[in-house]
Amino acid sequence: MMKNNHSIAPLTLAALGIVYGDIGTSPLYTLKESFIASKLEVDEMNILGFVSLITWALLLIVTLKYVLFVLRADHNGEGGVVVLMQQTLQHVSTRGGFWVTMAGLMGASLFLGDAMITPAISVLSAVEGLTVVNPALEHWIVPIALVILFTLFMVQRTGTQKIGTFFGPIMLLWFSLLALIGVYQISMNPHILLALNPYYGIYFATHHGWGSFLGLGAVVLAITGAEALYADMGHFGRLPIQVAWLGMVLPALMLNYMGQGAMLLSQPQAIANPFFNSVPAWGLLPLIALATVATVIASQAVISGAYSLMQQAIQLGFAPRMLIKHTNNNEIGQIYMPAVNWLLLGMVVAVVLIFQSSTNLAAAYGIAATGTMVFTTLMFCVVMRRKWQWSKAVVVGLTAVFLLFDLTFLSSNLLKIPSGGWFPLLVAGGLVFIFTTWYTGRALLNRLHAQDSLDLDYLLQNLAEYPPQVVAGNAVFMVGNPYIVPQALLHNLKHNKVLHQCNVLLSIRTTNTPYVAAEARLKVEHLNDFFVRVTACYGFQETPNIRHVLFLCRKQGLHLEMMETSFFLSSESIVLAKHTPKNHMNRLRTLVFRSLYRNSASATSFYHIPDNRVVEMGSQVKL
């Protein structure tokens, strides 16, 4: 969404605290893990090679690809792989749409897998600094990390604006120290500045065979968090994110990586922990404390992105309803989802307990990030060519550059599958299965409803010929298809044998855009003296609210007072058929769908309908 100029400074500071925590804490472990993964000697050419590769990955992937290009692919200020998927779907054929949808779902699932790993590896890497002070503290690392992570997830309910306001100044201090430490070490050994020459990175990558290829899988740790720039754009806007990166984050990261390299040139034995060994002994404990806070903040980027992504998945019909709380009245993109928050916490705790250390987690880290990057590049290619109408030469050139890095990093990370890379792939595969099962199951339910339902026009004609008893009051029937008779209305007529004075068939539609213009929000059709059809449209980044719908109805002359209105909802109970009917889901998918359906948030809580105004009419559906 567009931001006023006067709000750029505070939004930039807040974005610094939310968006860049992940990529901003990568210096804690990237260079160390690069040498561990490659098993190469810590000598001058290898140091220059790794630092050069990291530097140019930051420049070409994060700066060129994401900050300068991908952030342009917003939709009403919203970003993320799901937004990109929706834009791409508008410019491909039906057959191509299937593959675009699968790419978008896979990218979204990998991002959620990344959201489970990032908090664990970030906090563990900071707490591990205690072993530099005293190796005997090693057995305290996991318990301390778990306490920190639990506290982080507990404060999510306060909202990203308040968290970002608190985190922003801390990250400003963090990046300032990264730059100062880097400048100090560079001044001691300016020879490291040769790493700015891409020759050293290319030479390293082409002259060390298998070792350099393995090392690339760790170099990618320097750019994990890049996807969060795009996913979190709806929280702060494009300009604050770009200003924060170019003005503070990029210079600080480049200086720090070069500073670590400069120190290693004279002290190769410091490779055990080059980040913390870059500071004098008197500054070690304060830096560990600040690093711990910074890694807590690092986790916020993917957590905020996970909320946005799951909201989009729910609105587009790929995930069951979950409670969504808006934490800022002025910024609609700032939300908190309790179910997602606690599920993430559970998975993060499991990751910490399974992997125990940042080095073990480094094997699992990277696949999720690079996989999402590949899917983003492929869909962004379609947007550049079909939506923006850029020339084929420009599109092919940019896509080739992006994919060269993306696929190289992805392929090197695939080697990590046996040693931990299986985890994000398992999570992503499970999430894609859940997303597609829910979407298919809902489509099947809608098809069964259409087969068993009456045409609305037929009912209106029948009621005109044989009018039932009319009672005072308003009845709102929530319907998926506004042209067939809702089951709740049929049950009311059959069992209660009455018709309300005003009957509203309310259909809430989700568009393929993040937001809907005010003039296109509501459509009111008076069908006869007793029936009104109301269609409310919301973007996939918006959360419908029944009070808002009634307010808009009053503006169009349809007065529905909440305490004079009853809401009739159809509630299905899914039962398993003895034999799977033709064109239905298989038994496993049916069982999963039934479980998701039972545990999804009720329409009452999702649409914020007062409990004492709801009447539910139940029925059974065989799947």
Side-chain angles (χ1 to χ4, degrees), residues 271-463:
I271 190 60
N273 204 317
F275 179 81
F276 287 113
N277 282 317
S278 296
V279 298
W282 58 265
L284 190 55
L285 284 176
L287 184 61
I288 291 173
L290 180 60
T292 302
V293 177
T295 53
V296 169
I297 296 170
S299 308
Q300 188 61 55
V302 289
I303 294 172
S304 301
Y307 294 157
S308 296
L309 192 150
M310 284 305 300
Q311 181 193 31
Q312 295 165 2
I314 291 168
Q315 292 298 84
L316 291 171
F318 290 107
R321 289 190 298 254
M322 300 180 200
L323 183 62
I324 300 173
K325 296 183 178 180
H326 291 267
T327 58
N328 189 318
N329 293 329
N330 298 320
E331 298 295 334
I332 195 169
Q334 296 185 17
I335 60 174
Y336 166 66
M337 300 180 66
V340 175
N341 189 64
W342 302 123
L343 285 172
L344 270 181
L345 173 60
M347 293 302 296
V348 169
V349 169
V351 167
V352 172
L353 295 176
I354 291 170
F355 291 95
Q356 297 283 314
S357 72
S358 61
T359 296
N360 293 338
L361 259 176
Y365 209 31
I367 290 182
T370 52
T372 305
M373 289 176 183
V374 170
F375 291 124
T376 296
T377 296
L378 294 175
M379 292 186 288
F380 184 62
C381 171
V382 177
V383 170
M384 287 191 291
R385 181 62 179 156
R386 300 284 181 84
K387 182 179 179 180
W388 296 345
Q389 300 292 308
W390 286 9
S391 69
K392 183 180 291 186
V394 172
V395 172
V396 170
L398 286 173
T399 304
V401 172
F402 298 156
L403 282 180
L404 174 64
F405 282 86
D406 293 344
L407 292 175
T408 301
F409 283 133
L410 176 62
S411 57
S412 63
N413 272 276
L414 289 176
L415 298 174
K416 300 178 181 180
I417 290 177
S419 56
W422 55 268
F423 178 80
L425 293 179
L426 180 65
V427 169
L431 287 171
V432 169
F433 177 78
I434 289 173
F435 289 154
T436 54
T437 296
W438 181 259
Y439 187 86
T440 304
R442 289 300 304 173
L444 177 59
L445 279 183
N446 291 336
R447 189 169 74 242
L448 293 176
H449 289 160
Q451 292 173 356
D452 298 335
S453 298
L454 289 175
D455 182 76
L456 180 61
D457 290 336
Y458 173 81
L459 177 68
L460 296 182
Q461 181 180 353
N462 186 270
L463 291 176

Side-chain angles (χ1 to χ4, degrees), residues 130-356:
L130 292 173
T131 61
V132 178
V133 179
N134 185 350
L137 296 174
E138 184 175 0
H139 66 282
W140 284 99
I141 290 174
V142 170
I144 292 173
L146 291 175
V147 170
I148 292 170
L149 289 167
F150 183 77
T151 304
L152 169 66
F153 282 91
M154 284 292 291
V155 302
Q156 290 300 312
R157 68 187 69 181
T158 62
T160 55
Q161 178 74 28
K162 295 178 181 178
I163 296 172
T165 302
F166 173 71
F167 284 169
I170 296 176
M171 290 307 295
L172 182 61
L173 174 62
W174 171 255
F175 285 115
S176 299
L177 283 177
L178 288 184
L180 288 173
I181 293 170
V183 169
Y184 171 74
Q185 292 293 345
I186 292 170
S187 68
M188 301 293 288
N189 198 338
H191 187 66
I192 192 63
L193 293 175
L194 288 174
L196 287 170
N197 188 340
Y199 163 79
Y200 289 94
I202 296 171
Y203 180 87
F204 174 85
T206 56
H207 284 74
H208 287 85
W210 195 245
S212 62
F213 190 64
L214 291 171
L216 287 174
V219 168
V220 76
L221 298 175
I223 57 173
T224 53
E227 193 69 30
L229 276 68
Y230 189 36
D232 282 341
M233 184 162 56
H235 291 249
F236 305 103
R238 182 200 309 167
L239 185 57
I241 291 175
Q242 291 175 326
V243 170
W245 174 258
L246 296 173
M248 171 57 75
V249 182
L250 176 62
L253 291 176
M254 290 179 62
L255 286 170
N256 192 265
Y257 282 118
M258 288 198 172
Q260 291 185 47
M263 183 206 60
L264 290 175
L265 287 174
S266 56
Q267 303 176 51
Q269 70 279 6
I271 190 60
N273 204 317
F275 179 81
F276 287 113
N277 282 317
S278 296
V279 298
W282 58 265
L284 190 55
L285 284 176
L287 184 61
I288 291 173
L290 180 60
T292 302
V293 177
T295 53
V296 169
I297 296 170
S299 308
Q300 188 61 55
V302 289
I303 294 172
S304 301
Y307 294 157
S308 296
L309 192 150
M310 284 305 300
Q311 181 193 31
Q312 295 165 2
I314 291 168
Q315 292 298 84
L316 291 171
F318 290 107
R321 289 190 298 254
M322 300 180 200
L323 183 62
I324 300 173
K325 296 183 178 180
H326 291 267
T327 58
N328 189 318
N329 293 329
N330 298 320
E331 298 295 334
I332 195 169
Q334 296 185 17
I335 60 174
Y336 166 66
M337 300 180 66
V340 175
N341 189 64
W342 302 123
L343 285 172
L344 270 181
L345 173 60
M347 293 302 296
V348 169
V349 169
V351 167
V352 172
L353 295 176
I354 291 170
F355 291 95
Q356 297 283 314

Side-chain angles (χ1 to χ4, degrees), residues 556-577:
Q556 296 198 26
L558 180 61
H559 294 276
L560 299 173
E561 296 299 330
M562 182 67 75
M563 300 312 296
E564 298 177 2
T565 303
S566 297
F567 293 84
F568 288 82
L569 306 179
S570 299
S571 176
E572 295 96 359
S573 175
I574 297 176
V575 297
L576 297 177

Side-chain angles (χ1 to χ4, degrees), residues 487-523:
Q487 290 294 320
L489 175 57
L490 286 178
H491 285 308
N492 195 38
L493 288 170
K494 179 179 179 180
H495 297 290
N496 299 327
K497 304 185 187 311
V498 295
L499 185 70
H500 283 76
Q501 191 173 18
C502 177
N503 299 273
V504 178
L505 305 178
L506 175 59
S507 176
I508 296 180
R509 299 292 189 191
T510 300
T511 67
N512 60 2
T513 59
Y515 302 100
V516 172
E519 60 272 14
R521 176 77 69 194
L522 197 76
K523 181 180 180 182

